[in-house]
Coordinates of all heavy atoms in Angstrom, one line a residue:
M1 N 0.8 -1.2 0.0 CA 0.0 0.0 0.0 C 0.9 1.2 0.0 O 1.8 1.3 0.8 CB -0.9 0.0 1.2 CG -1.7 1.3 1.4 SD -2.9 1.2 2.7 CE -2.0 1.5 4.1
A2 N 0.6 2.2 -0.8 CA 1.4 3.4 -0.9 C 0.7 4.5 0.0 O -0.5 4.5 0.1 CB 1.4 3.9 -2.3
F3 N 1.5 5.3 0.6 CA 1.0 6.4 1.5 C 1.7 7.6 1.1 O 3.0 7.6 1.1 CB 1.2 6.0 2.9 CG 0.7 7.1 3.9 CD1 -0.6 7.2 4.2 CD2 1.6 8.0 4.4 CE1 -1.1 8.2 5.0 CE2 1.2 9.0 5.3 CZ -0.2 9.1 5.6
F4 N 1.0 8.7 0.8 CA 1.6 10.0 0.5 C 1.2 11.0 1.5 O 0.0 11.2 1.6 CB 1.2 10.4 -0.9 CG 1.8 11.7 -1.4 CD1 3.1 11.7 -1.8 CD2 1.1 12.9 -1.3 CE1 3.7 12.9 -2.2 CE2 1.7 14.1 -1.7 CZ 3.0 14.1 -2.1
F5 N 2.1 11.6 2.2 CA 1.8 12.5 3.3 C 2.1 13.9 2.7 O 3.2 14.2 2.3 CB 2.6 12.3 4.5 CG 2.3 13.3 5.6 CD1 1.0 13.4 6.2 CD2 3.3 14.1 6.2 CE1 0.8 14.3 7.2 CE2 3.1 15.0 7.2 CZ 1.8 15.1 7.7
K6 N 1.0 14.8 2.6 CA 1.1 16.1 2.0 C 1.6 17.2 3.0 O 1.8 18.3 2.6 CB -0.2 16.5 1.4 CG -0.6 15.6 0.3 CD -2.0 16.1 -0.3 CE -2.4 15.2 -1.4 NZ -3.7 15.7 -1.9
G7 N 1.8 16.8 4.2 CA 2.2 17.8 5.2 C 1.2 18.2 6.2 O 0.0 17.8 6.0
T8 N 1.6 18.9 7.2 CA 0.7 19.2 8.3 C -0.4 20.2 8.0 O -1.4 20.3 8.7 CB 1.5 19.7 9.5 OG1 2.3 20.8 9.1 CG2 2.4 18.5 10.1
C9 N -0.2 21.0 6.9 CA -1.2 22.0 6.5 C -2.6 21.4 6.2 O -3.6 22.0 6.4 CB -0.7 22.8 5.4 SG -0.6 21.9 3.8
C10 N -2.6 20.1 5.7 CA -3.8 19.5 5.2 C -4.2 18.3 6.1 O -5.0 17.5 5.7 CB -3.6 19.0 3.8 SG -3.0 20.3 2.7
F11 N -3.5 18.1 7.2 CA -3.7 16.9 8.0 C -4.2 17.3 9.4 O -3.7 18.2 10.1 CB -2.3 16.2 8.1 CG -2.4 14.9 8.8 CD1 -2.8 13.8 8.1 CD2 -1.9 14.7 10.1 CE1 -2.8 12.5 8.7 CE2 -2.0 13.5 10.7 CZ -2.4 12.4 10.0
K12 N -5.2 16.6 9.9 CA -5.7 16.7 11.2 C -5.2 15.5 12.1 O -5.4 14.4 11.7 CB -7.2 16.8 11.2 CG -7.7 18.0 10.5 CD -9.2 18.2 10.7 CE -9.9 19.3 10.0 NZ -9.2 20.3 9.3
G13 N -4.7 15.8 13.2 CA -4.1 14.8 14.0 C -2.6 14.9 14.1 O -2.0 15.8 13.7
E14 N -2.0 13.8 14.7 CA -0.6 13.8 14.9 C 0.1 13.6 13.6 O -0.4 12.8 12.7 CB -0.2 12.7 15.9 CG -0.7 13.1 17.4 CD -0.1 12.2 18.4 OE1 1.1 11.8 18.2 OE2 -0.8 11.8 19.3
N15 N 1.3 14.1 13.5 CA 2.1 14.0 12.3 C 2.6 12.5 12.3 O 3.2 12.0 13.2 CB 3.3 14.9 12.4 CG 4.2 14.9 11.2 OD1 4.3 13.9 10.5 ND2 4.9 16.0 10.9
P16 N 2.3 11.8 11.2 CA 2.6 10.4 11.1 C 4.1 10.1 10.7 O 4.4 8.9 10.4 CB 1.7 9.9 10.0 CG 1.5 11.0 9.1 CD 1.6 12.2 10.0
Y17 N 4.9 11.1 10.6 CA 6.3 10.9 10.1 C 7.1 9.8 10.7 O 7.7 9.0 10.0 CB 7.0 12.3 10.2 CG 8.4 12.3 9.6 CD1 8.6 12.0 8.3 CD2 9.5 12.6 10.4 CE1 9.9 12.0 7.8 CE2 10.8 12.6 10.0 CZ 11.0 12.3 8.6 OH 12.3 12.3 8.1
L18 N 7.2 9.8 12.1 CA 8.0 8.8 12.7 C 7.4 7.4 12.5 O 8.1 6.4 12.3 CB 8.1 9.1 14.2 CG 8.8 10.3 14.6 CD1 8.8 10.5 16.1 CD2 10.3 10.3 14.1
G19 N 6.1 7.3 12.4 CA 5.4 6.0 12.1 C 5.8 5.5 10.7 O 6.0 4.4 10.4
I20 N 5.8 6.5 9.8 CA 6.2 6.2 8.4 C 7.6 5.7 8.3 O 7.8 4.6 7.7 CB 6.0 7.4 7.5 CG1 4.5 7.8 7.4 CG2 6.6 7.2 6.1 CD1 4.2 9.1 6.7
L21 N 8.5 6.3 9.0 CA 9.9 5.9 9.0 C 10.0 4.4 9.6 O 10.8 3.6 9.1 CB 10.8 6.8 9.9 CG 11.1 8.2 9.3 CD1 11.9 9.0 10.3 CD2 11.8 8.1 7.9
A22 N 9.2 4.1 10.6 CA 9.3 2.8 11.2 C 8.6 1.7 10.4 O 9.1 0.6 10.4 CB 8.6 2.9 12.6
L23 N 7.5 2.0 9.7 CA 6.7 1.0 9.1 C 6.9 0.8 7.6 O 6.6 -0.2 7.0 CB 5.3 1.2 9.3 CG 4.9 1.2 10.8 CD1 3.4 1.6 11.0 CD2 5.1 -0.2 11.4
A24 N 7.5 1.8 6.9 CA 7.6 1.8 5.5 C 8.6 0.7 5.0 O 9.6 0.4 5.7 CB 8.1 3.2 5.0
D25 N 8.3 0.2 3.8 CA 9.3 -0.8 3.2 C 10.3 0.0 2.4 O 11.5 -0.4 2.3 CB 8.5 -1.7 2.3 CG 7.6 -2.6 3.0 OD1 8.0 -3.1 4.2 OD2 6.5 -2.9 2.5
I26 N 9.9 1.1 1.8 CA 10.8 2.0 1.0 C 10.4 3.4 1.4 O 9.3 3.7 1.5 CB 10.6 1.7 -0.5 CG1 11.0 0.3 -0.9 CG2 11.3 2.8 -1.3 CD1 10.6 0.0 -2.3
L27 N 11.5 4.2 1.4 CA 11.3 5.7 1.8 C 11.7 6.5 0.6 O 12.7 6.3 0.0 CB 12.1 6.1 3.0 CG 11.6 5.3 4.3 CD1 12.7 5.5 5.3 CD2 10.3 5.9 4.8
V28 N 10.8 7.5 0.2 CA 11.1 8.4 -0.8 C 11.0 9.8 -0.2 O 10.0 10.2 0.4 CB 10.1 8.4 -2.0 CG1 10.4 9.4 -3.0 CG2 10.2 7.0 -2.7
V29 N 12.1 10.6 -0.2 CA 12.2 11.9 0.4 C 12.6 12.9 -0.6 O 13.2 12.6 -1.7 CB 13.1 11.9 1.6 CG1 12.6 10.9 2.7 CG2 14.5 11.5 1.2
T30 N 12.4 14.2 -0.3 CA 12.8 15.2 -1.2 C 14.2 15.7 -0.8 O 14.5 15.7 0.4 CB 11.9 16.4 -1.2 OG1 11.7 16.9 0.2 CG2 10.5 16.1 -1.7
G31 N 15.0 16.0 -1.8 CA 16.4 16.3 -1.5 C 16.6 17.7 -1.0 O 17.8 18.0 -0.6
D32 N 15.6 18.5 -0.9 CA 15.8 19.9 -0.3 C 15.8 19.9 1.2 O 16.0 20.9 1.8 CB 14.8 20.8 -0.9 CG 13.3 20.4 -0.5 OD1 13.1 19.2 -0.3 OD2 12.5 21.3 -0.5
S33 N 15.6 18.7 1.8 CA 15.6 18.6 3.3 C 16.7 17.7 3.7 O 16.6 16.5 3.6 CB 14.3 18.1 3.8 OG 14.3 17.9 5.2
V34 N 17.8 18.3 4.2 CA 18.9 17.5 4.8 C 18.4 16.6 5.9 O 18.8 15.5 6.1 CB 20.1 18.4 5.2 CG1 21.1 17.6 5.9 CG2 20.7 19.0 3.9
S35 N 17.5 17.2 6.8 CA 17.0 16.5 7.9 C 16.2 15.2 7.5 O 16.4 14.1 8.0 CB 16.1 17.4 8.8 OG 16.8 18.4 9.3
M36 N 15.4 15.4 6.5 CA 14.6 14.3 6.0 C 15.4 13.2 5.4 O 15.2 12.0 5.7 CB 13.5 14.7 5.0 CG 12.4 13.8 4.9 SD 11.0 14.2 3.8 CE 11.1 16.0 3.6
C37 N 16.4 13.6 4.6 CA 17.4 12.6 4.0 C 18.1 11.9 5.1 O 18.3 10.7 5.0 CB 18.3 13.3 3.1 SG 17.5 14.0 1.6
T38 N 18.6 12.6 6.1 CA 19.3 12.0 7.2 C 18.5 11.1 8.0 O 18.9 9.9 8.3 CB 19.9 13.1 8.1 OG1 20.7 14.0 7.3 CG2 20.7 12.5 9.2
E39 N 17.3 11.5 8.4 CA 16.4 10.6 9.2 C 16.0 9.4 8.5 O 16.0 8.3 9.0 CB 15.2 11.4 9.6 CG 15.5 12.5 10.6 CD 14.5 13.7 10.7 OE1 13.6 13.7 9.9 OE2 14.7 14.5 11.6
A40 N 15.7 9.5 7.2 CA 15.4 8.3 6.4 C 16.6 7.4 6.3 O 16.5 6.1 6.4 CB 14.9 8.7 5.0
S41 N 17.8 7.9 6.1 CA 19.0 7.1 6.0 C 19.4 6.5 7.3 O 20.2 5.6 7.4 CB 20.2 8.0 5.5 OG 19.9 8.4 4.2
A42 N 18.8 7.0 8.4 CA 19.1 6.4 9.7 C 18.4 5.0 9.9 O 18.6 4.3 10.8 CB 18.7 7.3 10.9
T43 N 17.4 4.8 9.0 CA 16.8 3.4 9.0 C 17.7 2.6 8.1 O 18.5 3.1 7.3 CB 15.4 3.5 8.4 OG1 15.5 3.8 7.0 CG2 14.6 4.6 9.1
A44 N 17.5 1.3 8.1 CA 18.2 0.4 7.2 C 17.4 0.1 5.9 O 17.7 -0.8 5.1 CB 18.5 -0.9 7.9
K45 N 16.4 0.9 5.7 CA 15.5 0.7 4.6 C 16.0 1.4 3.3 O 16.7 2.4 3.4 CB 14.1 1.2 4.9 CG 13.5 0.5 6.1 CD 12.3 1.1 6.7 CE 11.9 0.4 7.9 NZ 10.6 0.8 8.5
P46 N 15.5 1.0 2.2 CA 15.9 1.7 0.9 C 15.4 3.1 1.0 O 14.2 3.4 1.3 CB 15.1 0.9 -0.2 CG 14.8 -0.5 0.4 CD 14.7 -0.2 1.9
V47 N 16.3 4.0 0.6 CA 15.9 5.5 0.6 C 16.2 6.0 -0.8 O 17.3 5.8 -1.3 CB 16.8 6.2 1.6 CG1 16.5 7.7 1.5 CG2 16.6 5.7 3.1
Y48 N 15.2 6.6 -1.3 CA 15.3 7.2 -2.7 C 15.1 8.7 -2.5 O 14.1 9.1 -1.8 CB 14.2 6.6 -3.6 CG 14.6 5.2 -4.0 CD1 14.0 4.1 -3.3 CD2 15.4 4.9 -5.1 CE1 14.3 2.8 -3.7 CE2 15.7 3.6 -5.4 CZ 15.2 2.6 -4.7 OH 15.5 1.3 -5.1
I49 N 15.9 9.5 -3.1 CA 15.8 10.9 -3.0 C 15.4 11.5 -4.3 O 16.0 11.3 -5.3 CB 17.2 11.5 -2.5 CG1 17.6 10.9 -1.2 CG2 17.1 13.0 -2.5 CD1 19.0 11.4 -0.7
Y50 N 14.3 12.3 -4.2 CA 13.8 13.1 -5.3 C 14.5 14.4 -5.4 O 14.4 15.2 -4.4 CB 12.3 13.3 -5.2 CG 11.7 14.2 -6.2 CD1 11.5 13.8 -7.5 CD2 11.3 15.5 -5.9 CE1 11.0 14.6 -8.5 CE2 10.8 16.3 -6.8 CZ 10.6 15.9 -8.1 OH 10.1 16.7 -9.0
A51 N 15.3 14.6 -6.4 CA 16.0 15.9 -6.6 C 16.2 16.2 -8.0 O 17.3 15.9 -8.5 CB 17.3 15.9 -5.8
P52 N 15.2 16.7 -8.8 CA 15.4 16.9 -10.2 C 16.5 18.0 -10.4 O 16.8 18.8 -9.5 CB 14.0 17.3 -10.7 CG 13.3 17.8 -9.5 CD 13.9 17.0 -8.3
S53 N 17.0 18.1 -11.6 CA 18.0 19.1 -12.0 C 17.5 20.5 -11.6 O 16.4 20.8 -11.9 CB 18.3 19.0 -13.5 OG 19.2 19.9 -13.9
G54 N 18.4 21.2 -11.0 CA 18.1 22.6 -10.6 C 17.3 22.7 -9.3 O 16.9 23.8 -8.9
F55 N 17.0 21.6 -8.7 CA 16.1 21.6 -7.5 C 16.9 21.9 -6.2 O 16.4 22.4 -5.2 CB 15.5 20.2 -7.4 CG 14.5 20.0 -6.3 CD1 13.3 20.7 -6.3 CD2 14.7 19.2 -5.2 CE1 12.3 20.5 -5.3 CE2 13.8 19.0 -4.2 CZ 12.6 19.7 -4.3
L56 N 18.2 21.7 -6.2 CA 19.0 21.7 -5.0 C 20.0 22.8 -5.0 O 20.6 23.2 -6.1 CB 19.8 20.4 -4.8 CG 19.0 19.1 -4.7 CD1 20.0 18.0 -4.7 CD2 18.1 19.1 -3.5
V57 N 20.4 23.3 -3.8 CA 21.5 24.2 -3.7 C 22.7 23.3 -3.6 O 22.6 22.1 -3.3 CB 21.4 25.1 -2.5 CG1 20.2 26.1 -2.6 CG2 21.3 24.3 -1.2
A58 N 23.9 23.9 -3.8 CA 25.1 23.1 -3.9 C 25.4 22.3 -2.7 O 25.8 21.1 -2.8 CB 26.3 24.0 -4.2
K59 N 25.2 22.8 -1.5 CA 25.5 22.0 -0.3 C 24.6 20.8 -0.1 O 25.1 19.8 0.3 CB 25.5 22.9 1.0 CG 24.1 23.4 1.4 CD 24.2 24.3 2.6 CE 22.9 24.8 3.0 NZ 22.9 25.5 4.3
H60 N 23.4 20.9 -0.6 CA 22.5 19.8 -0.5 C 22.9 18.7 -1.5 O 22.8 17.5 -1.3 CB 21.0 20.2 -0.8 CG 20.4 20.9 0.4 ND1 19.3 21.7 0.2 CD2 20.8 21.1 1.7 CE1 19.0 22.3 1.3 NE2 19.9 21.9 2.2
A61 N 23.3 19.2 -2.7 CA 23.8 18.2 -3.7 C 25.1 17.5 -3.2 O 25.2 16.3 -3.5 CB 24.1 19.0 -5.0
R62 N 26.0 18.2 -2.5 CA 27.2 17.5 -2.0 C 26.8 16.5 -0.9 O 27.3 15.4 -0.9 CB 28.1 18.5 -1.4 CG 28.9 19.4 -2.5 CD 30.0 20.2 -1.8 NE 29.5 21.1 -0.8 CZ 29.1 22.3 -1.0 NH1 29.0 22.8 -2.2 NH2 28.7 23.1 0.1
F63 N 25.8 16.9 -0.1 CA 25.4 16.0 1.0 C 24.8 14.7 0.4 O 25.1 13.6 0.8 CB 24.4 16.7 1.9 CG 23.8 15.8 3.0 CD1 24.6 15.4 4.0 CD2 22.5 15.3 2.9 CE1 24.1 14.5 5.0 CE2 22.0 14.5 3.9 CZ 22.8 14.1 4.9
Q64 N 23.9 14.9 -0.7 CA 23.3 13.7 -1.3 C 24.4 12.8 -2.0 O 24.3 11.6 -2.0 CB 22.3 14.2 -2.3 CG 21.0 14.6 -1.7 CD 20.0 15.1 -2.7 OE1 20.0 14.7 -3.8 NE2 19.2 16.0 -2.2
A65 N 25.4 13.5 -2.6 CA 26.4 12.7 -3.2 C 27.1 11.8 -2.2 O 27.5 10.7 -2.5 CB 27.4 13.6 -3.9
D66 N 27.3 12.4 -1.0 CA 27.9 11.6 0.1 C 27.0 10.4 0.5 O 27.5 9.3 0.8 CB 28.2 12.4 1.3 CG 29.4 13.4 1.1 OD1 30.2 13.1 0.2 OD2 29.5 14.3 1.9
L67 N 25.7 10.7 0.6 CA 24.8 9.6 0.9 C 24.8 8.5 -0.1 O 24.8 7.3 0.2 CB 23.3 10.1 1.1 CG 23.1 11.0 2.3 CD1 21.6 11.5 2.3 CD2 23.3 10.2 3.6
F68 N 24.8 8.9 -1.4 CA 24.9 7.9 -2.5 C 26.2 7.1 -2.5 O 26.1 5.9 -2.6 CB 24.7 8.6 -3.9 CG 23.4 9.4 -4.1 CD1 23.4 10.5 -4.9 CD2 22.2 9.0 -3.4 CE1 22.2 11.1 -5.1 CE2 21.0 9.7 -3.6 CZ 21.0 10.8 -4.5
A69 N 27.3 7.8 -2.3 CA 28.6 7.2 -2.2 C 28.7 6.2 -1.1 O 29.3 5.1 -1.2 CB 29.7 8.2 -2.2
G70 N 28.0 6.5 0.1 CA 28.1 5.6 1.2 C 27.1 4.5 1.2 O 27.0 3.6 2.0
G71 N 26.2 4.5 0.1 CA 25.2 3.4 0.0 C 24.0 3.6 0.8 O 23.2 2.7 1.0
Y72 N 23.8 4.8 1.4 CA 22.7 5.1 2.3 C 21.4 5.4 1.5 O 20.3 5.3 2.0 CB 23.0 6.2 3.3 CG 24.1 5.9 4.2 CD1 25.4 6.5 4.0 CD2 24.0 5.0 5.2 CE1 26.4 6.2 4.9 CE2 25.0 4.7 6.1 CZ 26.2 5.3 5.9 OH 27.3 5.0 6.7
A73 N 21.6 5.9 0.3 CA 20.4 6.4 -0.5 C 20.8 6.2 -2.0 O 21.9 6.1 -2.3 CB 20.1 7.8 -0.2
R74 N 19.7 6.3 -2.8 CA 19.9 6.3 -4.2 C 19.0 7.4 -4.8 O 18.0 7.8 -4.2 CB 19.5 4.9 -4.8 CG 20.3 3.8 -4.3 CD 19.9 2.5 -4.9 NE 20.7 1.4 -4.4 CZ 20.4 0.1 -4.6 NH1 19.4 -0.2 -5.3 NH2 21.2 -0.8 -4.1
P75 N 19.4 7.9 -6.0 CA 18.5 8.8 -6.7 C 17.1 8.2 -7.0 O 17.1 7.0 -7.4 CB 19.2 9.2 -7.9 CG 20.6 8.8 -7.7 CD 20.6 7.6 -6.8
L76 N 16.1 8.9 -7.0 CA 14.8 8.4 -7.4 C 14.7 8.2 -8.9 O 15.0 9.1 -9.6 CB 13.7 9.3 -6.9 CG 12.2 8.9 -7.2 CD1 11.9 7.6 -6.5 CD2 11.2 10.0 -6.9
T77 N 14.4 7.0 -9.3 CA 14.2 6.7 -10.7 C 12.9 6.0 -10.9 O 12.0 6.1 -10.0 CB 15.3 5.7 -11.2 OG1 15.2 4.5 -10.5 CG2 16.7 6.3 -11.0
D78 N 12.6 5.4 -12.0 CA 11.4 4.8 -12.3 C 11.3 3.4 -11.7 O 10.3 2.7 -11.8 CB 11.1 4.6 -13.8 CG 10.9 6.0 -14.4 OD1 10.5 6.9 -13.7 OD2 11.1 6.1 -15.7
R79 N 12.4 2.9 -11.1 CA 12.5 1.5 -10.6 C 12.7 1.6 -9.1 O 13.6 2.3 -8.6 CB 13.7 0.8 -11.2 CG 13.2 -0.2 -12.3 CD 14.4 -0.9 -12.8 NE 14.8 -2.0 -11.9 CZ 16.0 -2.5 -11.9 NH1 16.9 -2.0 -12.6 NH2 16.3 -3.5 -11.1
F80 N 12.0 0.8 -8.4 CA 12.2 0.6 -6.9 C 12.8 -0.8 -6.7 O 12.3 -1.8 -7.3 CB 10.9 0.7 -6.1 CG 10.3 2.1 -6.1 CD1 9.2 2.4 -6.7 CD2 11.0 3.1 -5.3 CE1 8.7 3.7 -6.7 CE2 10.5 4.4 -5.3 CZ 9.3 4.7 -5.9
E81 N 13.8 -0.8 -5.9 CA 14.4 -2.1 -5.5 C 14.4 -2.2 -4.0 O 14.5 -1.1 -3.3 CB 15.8 -2.2 -6.0 CG 15.9 -2.2 -7.5 CD 17.4 -2.3 -7.9 OE1 18.3 -1.8 -7.2 OE2 17.6 -2.7 -9.0
I82 N 14.3 -3.4 -3.4 CA 14.5 -3.6 -2.0 C 16.0 -3.8 -1.8 O 16.5 -4.8 -2.4 CB 13.6 -4.7 -1.5 CG1 12.2 -4.5 -1.7 CG2 13.9 -5.0 0.0 CD1 11.6 -3.3 -0.9
W83 N 16.6 -3.1 -1.0 CA 18.0 -3.2 -0.6 C 18.3 -2.7 0.8 O 17.4 -2.1 1.3 CB 18.9 -2.5 -1.6 CG 18.5 -1.1 -1.9 CD1 17.5 -0.6 -2.7 CD2 19.1 0.1 -1.3 NE1 17.4 0.7 -2.7 CE2 18.4 1.2 -1.8 CE3 20.1 0.3 -0.4 CZ2 18.6 2.5 -1.4 CZ3 20.4 1.7 0.0 CH2 19.6 2.7 -0.5
E84 N 19.4 -3.1 1.3 CA 19.7 -2.7 2.7 C 21.0 -1.9 2.8 O 21.8 -2.1 1.9 CB 19.7 -3.9 3.6 CG 18.4 -4.6 3.8 CD 18.5 -5.8 4.8 OE1 19.6 -6.0 5.4 OE2 17.5 -6.5 4.9
H85 N 21.1 -1.1 3.8 CA 22.3 -0.4 4.1 C 22.5 -0.3 5.6 O 21.5 -0.4 6.3 CB 22.3 1.0 3.4 CG 21.2 1.8 3.9 ND1 21.2 2.6 5.0 CD2 19.9 2.0 3.4 CE1 20.1 3.2 5.2 NE2 19.3 2.9 4.2
P86 N 23.7 -0.1 6.1 CA 23.8 0.1 7.5 C 23.1 1.4 7.9 O 23.2 2.4 7.1 CB 25.3 0.2 7.7 CG 25.9 0.5 6.4 CD 24.9 0.0 5.4
P87 N 22.4 1.5 9.0 CA 21.8 2.8 9.4 C 22.9 3.9 9.5 O 23.9 3.7 10.1 CB 21.1 2.5 10.7 CG 21.0 1.0 10.7 CD 22.1 0.4 9.9
L88 N 22.6 5.0 9.0 CA 23.4 6.2 9.2 C 23.3 6.6 10.6 O 22.2 7.0 11.1 CB 23.0 7.3 8.2 CG 23.8 8.6 8.3 CD1 25.2 8.4 7.9 CD2 23.1 9.7 7.4
N89 N 24.5 6.6 11.3 CA 24.5 7.0 12.7 C 25.8 7.7 13.0 O 26.7 7.0 13.6 CB 24.2 5.8 13.6 CG 24.1 6.2 15.1 OD1 24.2 7.4 15.4 ND2 24.0 5.3 16.0
P90 N 26.0 8.9 12.7 CA 27.2 9.6 12.9 C 27.5 10.0 14.3 O 28.6 10.5 14.7 CB 27.2 10.8 12.0 CG 25.7 11.1 12.0 CD 25.0 9.8 12.0
S91 N 26.6 9.7 15.2 CA 26.7 10.2 16.6 C 27.9 9.7 17.3 O 28.6 10.4 18.0 CB 25.4 10.0 17.4 OG 25.1 8.6 17.5
E92 N 28.2 8.4 17.1 CA 29.4 7.8 17.8 C 30.7 8.4 17.2 O 31.6 8.7 18.0 CB 29.4 6.3 17.6 CG 30.5 5.6 18.3 CD 30.5 5.8 19.9 OE1 29.4 5.8 20.4 OE2 31.6 6.0 20.5
E93 N 30.7 8.6 15.9 CA 31.9 9.2 15.3 C 32.1 10.7 15.8 O 33.2 11.1 16.1 CB 31.7 9.2 13.8 CG 32.9 9.8 13.0 CD 32.6 9.7 11.5 OE1 31.9 8.9 11.0 OE2 33.2 10.6 10.8
I94 N 31.0 11.4 15.9 CA 31.0 12.8 16.4 C 31.5 12.8 17.9 O 32.4 13.6 18.2 CB 29.7 13.4 16.3 CG1 29.3 13.6 14.8 CG2 29.6 14.8 17.0 CD1 27.9 14.0 14.5
A95 N 31.0 11.9 18.7 CA 31.3 11.8 20.1 C 32.8 11.5 20.2 O 33.5 12.1 21.1 CB 30.5 10.8 20.8
T96 N 33.3 10.6 19.4 CA 34.8 10.2 19.5 C 35.6 11.4 19.1 O 36.6 11.7 19.8 CB 35.0 9.0 18.5 OG1 34.3 7.9 18.9 CG2 36.5 8.7 18.5
E97 N 35.2 12.2 18.1 CA 36.0 13.3 17.7 C 35.9 14.4 18.8 O 37.0 15.1 19.0 CB 35.4 13.9 16.4 CG 36.2 15.1 15.8 CD 37.6 14.8 15.5 OE1 38.0 13.7 15.4 OE2 38.4 15.8 15.4
I98 N 34.8 14.6 19.4 CA 34.7 15.6 20.5 C 35.6 15.2 21.6 O 36.4 16.0 22.2 CB 33.3 15.7 21.0 CG1 32.4 16.4 19.9 CG2 33.2 16.5 22.3 CD1 30.9 16.4 20.2
R99 N 35.6 13.9 22.0 CA 36.5 13.4 23.1 C 38.0 13.6 22.7 O 38.8 14.1 23.5 CB 36.3 12.0 23.4 CG 35.0 11.7 24.2 CD 34.9 10.3 24.7 NE 34.6 9.3 23.7 CZ 33.4 9.0 23.3 NH1 32.4 9.6 23.8 NH2 33.2 8.1 22.4
R100 N 38.3 13.3 21.4 CA 39.7 13.5 21.0 C 40.1 15.0 21.1 O 41.2 15.3 21.6 CB 39.8 13.1 19.5 CG 41.3 13.1 19.0 CD 41.4 12.9 17.5 NE 40.8 14.0 16.8 CZ 41.4 15.2 16.6 NH1 42.6 15.5 17.1 NH2 40.8 16.2 15.9
R101 N 39.3 15.9 20.7 CA 39.6 17.3 20.7 C 39.7 17.8 22.2 O 40.5 18.7 22.5 CB 38.6 18.1 19.9 CG 38.7 17.9 18.5 CD 37.7 18.7 17.7 NE 37.7 18.3 16.3 CZ 37.4 19.1 15.3 NH1 36.9 20.3 15.6 NH2 37.4 18.7 14.0
M102 N 38.8 17.3 23.0 CA 38.9 17.7 24.4 C 40.2 17.3 25.1 O 40.8 18.0 25.8 CB 37.6 17.2 25.2 CG 36.4 17.9 24.8 SD 34.9 17.1 25.5 CE 35.1 17.5 27.3
Q103 N 40.6 16.0 24.8 CA 41.9 15.5 25.3 C 43.0 16.4 24.8 O 44.0 16.6 25.5 CB 42.0 14.0 24.9 CG 41.2 13.1 25.7 CD 41.4 13.1 27.2 OE1 42.5 13.2 27.6 NE2 40.4 13.1 28.0
A104 N 43.0 16.7 23.5 CA 44.1 17.5 22.9 C 44.1 18.9 23.5 O 45.3 19.4 23.7 CB 43.8 17.7 21.4
N105 N 43.0 19.4 24.0 CA 43.0 20.8 24.6 C 43.5 20.7 26.1 O 43.9 21.7 26.6 CB 41.6 21.4 24.6 CG 41.3 21.9 23.2 OD1 42.2 22.3 22.4 ND2 40.0 21.9 22.9
K106 N 43.6 19.5 26.7 CA 44.0 19.4 28.0 C 45.6 19.4 28.1 O 46.1 19.7 29.1 CB 43.6 18.1 28.7 CG 42.1 18.1 29.0 CD 41.7 16.8 29.7 CE 40.3 16.8 30.0 NZ 39.9 15.5 30.7
R107 N 46.2 19.2 27.0 CA 47.7 19.1 27.0 C 48.3 20.5 26.9 O 48.0 21.5 26.6 CB 48.1 18.3 25.7 CG 47.7 16.9 25.8 CD 48.0 16.1 24.6 NE 47.2 14.9 24.6 CZ 47.0 14.2 23.6 NH1 47.5 14.5 22.4 NH2 46.2 13.2 23.6

């Protein structure tokens, strides 16, 4: 079953976004939202990003290129495939880097 959420302007009730992330088999997100691309990539589900030519600013295009290169997402095409990727979770890497920098400042 396909579900298309048009946003909170036309929806009465709680935002179903977290439920969609949890229950969807495939996620399609728009490339103009780094948050949405990141949150979808934090699942292990197939993530397809809709970003037609001229749709993105340069920093969003670079971010998407990194997601594609890391295997977290793919560009939206006419074909859907079921595939898996490790969940994107940079928090441990960030915490390690913060600890490293804090230790370096103690010296």
